[in-house]
Amino acid sequence: MVRVPVLDEPLKDPLKTTLGPATAKVLAEQLDLHTVGDLLHHYPRRYEERGQLTRLSELPLDEDVTVVAQVADARVHTFNGGRGKRLEITITDGTGRLQLVFFGRGVHKPQKDLLPGSRAMFAGRVSVFNRKLQLAHPSYAGLGGEDDTVEVGSWAGALIPIYPACKGMESWKIAKAVDAVLPRAPEAVDPLPPALRDGRGLVPLPEALLKVHRPHTRADIEDARARLKWDEAFVLQVALARRRFAETQLPAVARRPVPGRVLDAFDARLPFTLTEGQRKVTGEILADLATEHPMHRLLQGEVGSGKTLVALRAMLTVVDAGGQAAMLAPTEVLAQQHHRSIVEMMGDLAEGGTLGGAEHATKVVLLTGSMGAAARRVALLDLVTGEAGIVIGTHALIEDKVRFHDLGLVVVDEQHRFGVEQRDALRSKGKQPPHLLVMTATPIPRTVAMTVFGDLETSVLDQLPAGRSPIASHVVPAQDKPHFLARAWERVREEVDKGHQAYVVCPRIGDDEDEKPKKTDDGSGKRPPLAVLDVAGELTRGPLAGLRVEVLHGRMHPDDKDAVMRRFAAGEVDVLVATTVIEVGVNVPNATAMVIMDADRFGVSQLHQLRGRVGRGSAPGLCLLVTEMPEASPARARLGAVAATLDGFELSRIDLEQRREGDVLGQAQSGVRSSLRMLAVIEDEEIIAAAREEAARVVREDPALERSPGLRLALDALLDREREQYLDKG
C-alpha cells in the first residue's frame, strides 16, 4: 500500500506521563491501554443514574461486575474459637439480593462503612457459594453522603459511567484516570471527511469523546454513540475497500469456459439438475474467473447446499482453460473425504492419463502429510508436469517442495480453520496470483460478512437440493427428566434396527489428565464435560450393549481415523462416539440420528454444523440435545432456539446476539476485536452498509487518501504493521 505523509498523532503520549507509573502499568497489562488516545477510546459500557438501581437479578456468573445497591443487613460471624471473623452483607436493588463476604482483617473497614441503609457502588467477580451468588471482598465506593469516597464532582451530571473494568482497576478508578486525560480530547484528529460528517448530522470527534465520557443527558450519549459507531464502521470499511481496490490492480490469468471439454462432459452425467441458487452462484464465480484480476469470493451455504459441487465446476472450468486448481481442507480426514467424493462424482473423468480415462479427463490427486514417500513423489510429479488438473490436500500443499505447472484457482474449505499465512503461501505458488474461492458452511449474517470478510465478494447458497430430509431436533433435559435420556438411547436403537446409523458427540476426549478441566470448588458442583472414551464405555456396557460402537477423536493417528470413518461410511459401525472432529465435511447419508451430550457446552453455530451431519439421505434425521442445565438458564434458551429452527442464518444472528461480539470477530479476523468498541454488528446493520458504500466511494476517488489526512491517521492506528500484513494476506 502507498504510504502518504500524514498528520502526527497528538494523543500518542504514554499514560505513565499523565497518570503515574502504577496506574499506567495496570491499564497497560490488564486492559491493553497504553496511550492517552487509547484511554479516551475506552468507552463506558453503560451508565447508572444516581438513584437508579442496577438489576441484581441479571448478574452473570464468573464475570467482573459493577452494581449500585443498598445495604439491607450486615452480620459478623466468628469461627476458630473467635480468632477468625467473616462479615456477611446483603445488598438489594429491588430486583434481587446479593451477598458480599469479607474475611479476616478485611472486615473492619467495610463493617464501619457499609451500614444498613447506606448506598454504594460495588465491584467484583460474581461467584457461587452454597448455591447463592456472592461477591467475595468486593471493592466499593459510597454514594449519597457528604463524605463519599467517590467525589460527587468526579461524576459530571447525574449519569455515572460504568467502564469495562478489571482486577485492580475498578470502574470508578478508570473514571478518575479518564478525568485526567479528558482535557486532551479537543486535540483528537477527526477521521471523517467533513462533507460526510455534516451530511449525516454527526457531531465532531472531540465533542463525541466529551459526551461519551461525561454526558449530562441521555441525548448526549446518543449523539456520542452515533458518531463513534460511524468512526469504527467507516475506518474499517475503508481498510477493506483499499484492500479490494488493490486486488483489482493485480494481474491474473483470465480462465474462461471452453465448450466441449471436461466441464460439459461432467454436466452431461449429473443425475440431477442444479438448483436455481447453484446456477446463480456458478454464474457469479465464472464471471469473476473470466476477468484479468484475481477473484476473491466467499461462498457460504448451509451444510448440504451443494457448495462442493459448485466449487468443482469452477475447478473444471479452470482445468478446461489450461490451468490447475487446488482445494485446501483443514484436516486429513476432510481432504480424503473431498478427494473420494470428487473422484466418485467425476468417475472416469478423474482418470486422465490412464487407460480407463475418458476422452477429456484430467487427473485428481490427493496430497497429505501422512502419505507414503512413493505415492507422494508421484503426486508431486503430476503437479509440476500439469498432468493433475486438480489437487486436494491439507497444509502439506503449501510446503516449499510443492510446485505447480500453472496454478489458476485456490479453493479453501472452512475459512475459519485455515490461517491467512497458509492461504498466502499457496497463492504465491502461481505465476500470477491465482483466483481464490473461500467456502464456509457456517452461515454468516450479512453484516458480519461485510465486517469480517469485507475484502471478499460474497455468494450465498441458501436452498437445499431436492431429496434432503428434514431434521427433527429436541432438547433432552437429563437432570430434570432422566427418563427422557433413557428414551433417547431407545430411539438410537430403533434407528439402528431400521438399518440406519447414529453419532454420539461429546465435548472432550478423556483418558488424559492434562486435558481434564480442574474441578472448581466453588460450591456450584459443576462436573467436568463428558468425554468420548468414558461415554463409549458406558454405552457399550449399558443402553447400547450389543451394537457396534466405535470412537473417533483428534488424538488418533490419521490412518486410524480414516479407517474408522471408512468402516462407518461402509455401514460396518452402528454408532460413532466422537468429538467435534465430525463437524465438517463428514458425509454418511445412512446416518439418521445424533445425540449431543452436554450440548450446552457447544456454541449455537457449532450445534447447527453438527446437526447437519444427519438427514443427508432419504430418511428423516433426528438430533437430540442432551443437557443438565436448569430450565430457566440462558443455556437452555439457546438450545431451545437451535431445536426450534433449521435456518442457519437465523441461528447465527442469535449466536452473535448472545455471545460477546469481540469473540466472534476476534476468531475470524485478528485486529478487529480491539477496533470494535461501540459498533454492534447485528444492531448496526444500516450503519455498516452505508459505511461500506461511502468507503468504496472515497477510495475510488482518492486511493492513497491524500485528501483525507485524518482518515489516513485513523487507518494507521487501526492497521498497525501486524494487522496491515493480515489484511494484505487476507
Side-chain angles (χ1 to χ4, degrees), residues 224-346:
R225 280 180 181 276
R227 165 60 213 248
L228 296 169
K229 282 181 177 189
W230 250 94
D231 280 16
E232 286 174 16
F234 182 68
V235 173
L236 181 61
Q237 291 300 335
V238 167
L240 295 165
R242 294 186 79 217
R243 167 99 179 91
R244 289 194 301 275
F245 182 81
E247 295 295 351
T248 64
Q249 309 306 301
L250 287 176
V253 179
R255 312 282 177 171
R256 297 182 180 89
V258 180
R261 295 213 181 152
V262 192
L263 179 60
D264 283 354
F266 175 75
D267 283 349
R269 300 172 176 205
L270 277 179
F272 50 81
T273 53
L274 298 177
T275 65
E276 192 182 322
Q278 286 170 331
R279 280 200 298 274
K280 175 174 163 284
V281 168
T282 299
E284 292 167 351
I285 292 170
L286 296 191
D288 284 357
L289 289 174
T291 61
E292 293 181 348
H293 59 81
M295 166 172 79
H296 278 84
R297 189 165 283 279
L298 174 71
L299 171 57
Q300 55 176 124
E302 291 281 12
V303 171
S305 58
K307 292 184 302 300
T308 308
L309 176 64
V310 168
L312 176 56
R313 294 183 75 243
M315 291 195 282
L316 294 177
T317 301
V318 170
V319 170
D320 283 347
Q324 290 169 295
M327 181 183 244
L328 256 60
T331 64
E332 294 214 358
V333 168
L334 194 51
Q336 289 159 344
Q337 178 124 10
H338 275 315
H339 180 253
R340 269 199 303 276
S341 64
I342 283 174
V343 168
E344 278 168 23
M345 277 196 269
M346 289 178 65

Side-chain angles (χ1 to χ4, degrees), residues 28 71 89 92 97 199 210 282 376 403 407 450 484 648 664 668 692:
V71 176
I89 293 175
T92 180
R97 296 164 82 80
L210 289 167
T282 299
R376 190 177 172 75
R403 293 276 176 271
L407 180 61
M450 284 193 294
F484 275 36
V664 179
R692 183 178 166 102

Side-chain angles (χ1 to χ4, degrees), residues 87 102 105-114 140 149:
L87 171 63
F102 301 86
R105 284 200 288 268
V107 307
H108 302 304
K109 189 168 180 345
Q111 193 178 355
K112 274 204 321 247
D113 296 342
L114 301 174
Y140 61 89
T149 48

Side-chain angles (χ1 to χ4, degrees), residues 488 491-493 495-496 500-504 568 574-576 590-596 613-615 620-624:
R491 284 291 289 113
V492 170
R493 291 196 85 102
E495 289 300 309
V496 173
H500 299 309
Q501 293 158 278
Y503 298 99
V504 176
F568 190 64
D574 298 320
V575 179
L576 189 62
N590 192 46
T592 54
M594 176 177 284
V595 181
I596 303 178
R613 300 291 127 215
V614 295
L622 172 69
C623 180
L624 301 174

